Amino acid sequence: MNWLGLLFLGLGFLSLACGVVASYLSNTPQAHAPQKLRAEQKPLPSASSYALWRERRTLRHAKQLESETARRLRPQLYSEDGAEVLAAVVSLGALCDRTAVPALMEVLESCVSYQPLGWREIAVASTDALAQIGDPRSLPLLRRLETVRGIGLIPNIRHAIAIID
């Protein structure tokens, strides 16, 4: 084998090792979360991989069509400060901006998945904002979250589904 073949073989093994490490790190609970909280966290039920891929592809495309207000508030939605996120979610819900639905869905899904400090308030506000907007694109996520037990959002989620349907 020549040196170029050995280089590509080495790069292949390196990328395989990086994939294994990334997979391991993405499935571990947060190190700073209390032990009790880690035990209570339940993963979201998984949809079929094709359906999930299609849903996320549609959301990525929708981000490109965001209004100026939604684009301006997007950095606040991903802030570390829960009060700032909550204010942005409430603002987008009050505006009934349909172009903000993908961002609100991402905030809701990440809140339930990672459960940062103050996540319930943000998740309730996101669910209410999606209900105010009434866009049916949020129904697959809401129906998936409806089956998660122990998150305490089931009444809000069912209410949002009833309004959107």
Side-chain angles (χ1 to χ4, degrees):
M1 222 194 277
N2 60 15
W3 65 272
L4 191 58
L6 289 174
L7 176 71
F8 284 120
L9 186 64
L11 288 175
F13 281 123
L14 181 65
S15 66
L16 180 66
C18 289
V20 169
V21 169
S23 173
Y24 172 75
L25 291 177
S26 67
N27 290 330
T28 56
Q30 296 174 356
H32 63 276
Q35 188 66 29
K36 182 181 176 191
L37 238 167
R38 275 187 257 154
E40 291 175 359
Q41 288 180 351
K42 295 176 177 61
L44 292 177
S46 60
S48 71
S49 59
Y50 175 72
L52 200 57
W53 171 81
R54 196 175 75 196
E55 178 184 331
R56 289 195 174 141
R57 187 195 72 200
T58 304
L59 292 177
R60 277 193 309 269
H61 175 69
K63 279 186 205 175
Q64 297 170 353
L65 306 173
E66 279 182 334
S67 69
E68 183 59 37
T69 307
R71 193 172 293 118
R72 188 174 35 84
L73 289 174
R74 179 175 281 284
Q76 291 178 355
L77 289 174
Y78 301 110
S79 172
E80 294 289 326
D81 183 18
E84 194 173 328
V85 176
L86 191 60
V89 166
V90 170
S91 297
L92 288 173
L95 292 172
C96 292
D97 186 0
R98 287 178 165 257
T99 63
V101 169
L104 290 170
M105 288 173 59
E106 285 179 358
V107 167
L108 178 59
E109 190 171 16
S110 69
C111 277
V112 173
S113 296
Y114 300 114
Q115 300 180 352
L117 190 63
W119 72 273
R120 286 188 197 273
E121 293 83 14
I122 296 170
V124 167
S126 300
T127 306
D128 293 343
L130 289 170
Q132 283 177 330
I133 295 170
D135 195 321
R137 290 179 293 176
S138 61
L139 284 175
L141 173 65
L142 292 172
R143 288 194 174 116
R144 221 175 33 236
L145 291 177
E146 186 180 23
T147 63
V148 178
R149 300 290 175 227
I151 60 172
L153 304 173
I154 304 300
N156 295 76
I157 292 171
R158 287 187 180 149
H159 177 70
I161 289 173
I163 288 175
I164 295 171
D165 273 343

